[in-house]
Amino acid sequence: TQLLEQSPQFLSIQEGENLTVYCNSSSVFSSLQWYRQEPGEGPVLLVTVVTGGEVKKLKRLTFQFGDARKDSSLHITAAQPGDTGLYLCARPRGGAGNMLTFGGGTRLMVKP
Amino acid sequence: SAVISQKPSRDICQRGTSLTIQCQVDSQVTMMFWYRQQPGQSLTLIATANQGSEATYESGFVIDKFPISRPNLTFSTLTVSNMSPEDSSIYLCGAEENTEAFFGQGTRLTVV
C-alpha cells in the first residue's frame, strides 16, 4: 500500500495566522488532490495538481506539488474561522476509475 | 458537478440488525464507491460499484457483511449487516465525474 502521510494531524491557530499542511509519500504520483471536509458533510475537492513543481492558488490557499511528485503542501494565508475543517490529500489508486487513497488528514481549527 | 444525496443522514441501530444506506446521484455516472470514516479520521475505501457488475471489495471488507447494489447509473445502496458496535462509523458514498470525485454528506451510524 502506498501510504500518504499528512502532518500535522491537528492544528489550532488564531484567526489571521498562516499555516502549512504537508502530504508526503515515498512513491511518485501521477496526480494529487486536496479536499476539505466540514462536519456533517462529505469531502469537497479543492484542487488537483499534476505537474512536478506546480503551484496553484485558490484565494488564500496555495497548493504546491513537489518537483519529484512525491509530496505536496497546502499553505493558508491569514486563516479565517471559515477555514476550519478536515483537510485531506488523496491520490488515485490506479486502475479504472478515480478511486482515491486518502492521507490521514489534518484537522484545522481557526479560533476567532 | 454531480450532486449526491445520501440517506439516512444518521441512525442508531441495535446490534445484530442491518441498515441499508441509499445514495442517489443527479446524473448518470459509471462508477460509484463507498468509504468508511471513523469520526475525525480519514476515509477508507470499502468497495467500488459499477452498474451491471458485482461490486469490487477492498481487503478487509466482504460482500456478506457489506452487500452493495447498483441497479442503475444513478443509484446505489450499501447494507451494513449483522451490525456490532465496531461498525459505528460514518459511511460515505461517492461518484466519479470527469476525473473528479464527489461525495454525499455521509451517514453517521451508531450501533448500540
Side-chain angles (χ1 to χ4, degrees):
Chain A
T1 301
Q2 299 170 341
L3 297 176
L4 287 172
E5 296 184 358
Q6 278 188 247
S7 61
Q9 291 183 315
F10 182 78
L11 192 57
S12 180
I13 61 173
Q14 292 296 132
E15 181 176 1
E17 293 183 5
N18 302 330
L19 68 118
T20 302
V21 176
Y22 300 93
C23 178
N24 297 292
S25 174
S26 58
S27 303
V28 176
F29 308 134
S30 59
S31 64
L32 189 134
Q33 296 181 324
W34 284 93
Y35 287 79
R36 180 169 65 206
Q37 184 180 22
E38 299 183 17
E41 300 293 332
V44 175
L45 179 66
L46 295 174
V47 76
T48 301
V49 287
V50 296
T51 304
E54 182 176 8
V55 176
K56 284 190 173 179
K57 292 192 174 184
L58 183 64
K59 296 183 179 179
R60 294 176 292 101
L61 279 61
T62 302
F63 305 85
Q64 185 163 7
F65 203 14
D67 291 340
R69 305 207 320 272
K70 292 183 178 181
D71 56 89
S72 181
S73 64
L74 158 60
H75 182 80
I76 301 179
T77 303
Q80 304 294 314
D83 296 327
T84 293
L86 179 66
Y87 289 82
L88 296 154
C89 64
R91 63 161 183 84
R93 295 171 62 88
N98 193 35
M99 295 81 69
L100 300 168
T101 293
F102 285 87
T106 295
R107 183 163 296 280
L108 172 65
M109 179 177 295
V110 182
K111 301 176 183 178
Chain B
S1 61
V3 177
I4 299 178
S5 301
Q6 197 174 328
K7 61 180 180 180
S9 59
R10 60 177 60 231
D11 207 344
I12 300 174
C13 300
Q14 295 291 324
R15 68 181 66 197
T17 63
S18 298
L19 175 71
T20 296
I21 303 169
Q22 298 181 8
C23 184
Q24 180 76 50
V25 188
D26 69 345
S27 59
Q28 293 185 340
V29 292
T30 301
M31 181 161 294
M32 297 181 70
F33 33 82
W34 291 91
Y35 282 84
R36 184 169 69 183
Q37 183 180 31
Q38 301 291 344
Q41 298 187 23
S42 190
L43 283 71
T44 300
L45 181 65
I46 297 172
T48 58
N50 286 348
Q51 191 266 337
S53 61
E54 287 194 3
T56 302
Y57 289 83
E58 293 297 298
S59 176
F61 298 96
V62 295
I63 187 171
D64 289 346
K65 177 67 174 178
F66 297 101
I68 289 171
S69 78
R70 183 76 200 276
N72 56 54
L73 290 173
T74 64
F75 188 77
S76 179
T77 67
L78 170 74
T79 298
V80 186
S81 303
N82 188 26
M83 289 183 284
S84 67
E86 292 71 32
D87 295 320
S88 297
S89 189
I90 299 168
Y91 292 84
L92 289 154
C93 74
E96 178 198 9
E97 185 176 76
N98 298 327
T99 74
E100 181 175 343
F102 297 90
F103 292 88
Q105 79 276 20
T107 295
R108 182 180 290 272
L109 171 62
T110 302
V111 183
V112 298

